[in-house]
Amino acid sequence: MKFIASLFLAVWMTLPTGAAAQSGGPATDLVVVELFTSQGCSSCPPADALLRQLTARPDVLPLALHVDYWDYIGWKDQFADPAHTRRQKGYAHVGGRQMVYTPQMIVNGQDDVVGANAMKLSETVAAHQARPTPVAITIDGTQSGTGGIAVQLRRADAAPLLSGPISIQLVRYAPLKTVDISRGELAGRRLDYANVVEQIDRVADWDGQGTLELTVALTDTRPAALLVQQAPYGAILAAATLN
């Protein structure tokens, strides 16, 4: 069964993707996969590895959000942020789930997938790709002298009417980090972590009506993405990379 799942994942990772990828520029119409993980969680490395494999797909935005509630068992996660724990609990509350756990993947702010279940993740991502994206994002990738990127949001053609509040969030992340873990359940392991979220800032609010135009300032060269999410922890309506 493990061999079948691995083969399935290998095929899935090489399948042709849609129009989300724009050669040499930002990508839009992305399915967002948020992995809630911890360096103190012994069952997390397979999910961390799966998330790293997802970075090869131009139609998916994989993000690793390290939580802090495993820190008490002997190893403090270097990337953990209480805000990530609050985000995971927010998803659980909105989704009617009674608990949070690691590793957990949340797809487009709506569906949860346990750990490194590649087959279930593939099905969930495909289901979201089959749905029309309700918000169209247009990006002017040319930064001005002040370091701003012009972004325009509007309801996509033929999409249902939108209602606010809708939160526009700027995510900054590190593409790859390697950690030597010396204590806790993973003591003695050297592990790679992909797309480690370092910062999530709300840059605008929108009522979903008309067109929203904003300028997003990038103050460094870290990868950046924009999430358009039904506030506070609802569906992710659209997502795009900015660099």
Side-chain angles (χ1 to χ4, degrees):
M1 181 63 68
K2 182 179 293 186
F3 172 76
I4 294 174
S6 299
L7 179 62
F8 181 86
L9 175 62
V11 173
W12 177 50
M13 290 301 176
T14 58
L15 287 176
T17 55
Q22 300 175 15
S23 179
T28 59
D29 295 341
L30 301 173
V31 175
V32 180
V33 176
E34 297 176 71
L35 169 64
F36 293 92
T37 185
S38 172
Q39 294 168 11
C41 161
S42 61
S43 58
C44 284
D48 298 321
L50 174 58
L51 192 86
R52 185 178 179 186
Q53 289 178 297
L54 280 176
T55 62
R57 289 198 51 161
D59 55 345
V60 175
L61 175 61
L63 299 171
L65 294 94
H66 287 240
V67 298
D68 62 353
Y69 50 80
W70 284 105
D71 289 356
Y72 75 95
I73 62 174
W75 176 258
K76 181 176 174 58
D77 191 313
Q78 300 173 23
F79 312 137
D81 190 327
H84 299 164
T85 302
R86 290 194 296 272
R87 188 175 179 89
Q88 187 183 25
K89 289 180 176 179
Y91 280 138
H93 177 73
V94 172
R97 294 181 290 273
Q98 300 301 312
M99 61 177 291
V100 296
Y101 62 90
T102 57
Q104 180 188 34
M105 290 183 176
I106 301 290
V107 181
N108 269 359
Q110 299 171 74
D111 298 312
D112 75 305
V113 176
V114 177
N117 189 336
M119 300 183 82
K120 177 63 175 178
L121 179 62
S122 173
E123 294 170 358
T124 306
V125 168
H128 281 273
Q129 288 177 324
R131 304 171 188 171
T133 303
V135 174
I137 303 178
T138 302
I139 300 170
D140 181 352
T142 303
Q143 296 198 44
S144 66
T146 59
I149 294 178
V151 178
Q152 183 186 89
L153 307 178
R154 62 173 178 81
R155 180 170 64 90
D157 296 339
L161 293 177
L162 301 173
S163 60
I166 296 171
S167 174
I168 317 303
Q169 303 160 39
L170 176 65
V171 181
R172 309 303 305 273
Y173 55 94
L176 184 66
K177 289 195 172 187
T178 301
V179 178
D180 292 307
I181 300 175
S182 60
R183 295 186 302 278
E185 294 184 352
L186 295 173
R189 300 281 299 272
R190 168 173 284 192
L191 296 172
D192 293 326
Y193 295 97
N195 286 14
V196 177
V197 173
E198 298 179 327
Q199 188 176 347
I200 303 179
D201 295 315
R202 190 177 68 190
V203 295
D205 294 311
W206 184 35
D207 61 5
Q209 307 303 306
T211 298
L212 175 67
E213 296 184 353
L214 64 153
T215 300
V216 179
L218 302 182
T219 57
D220 53 55
T221 59
R222 288 178 298 170
L226 206 66
L227 308 184
V228 182
Q229 184 167 26
Q230 202 79 54
Y233 299 109
I236 293 177
L237 306 175
T241 57
L242 296 180
N243 52 8

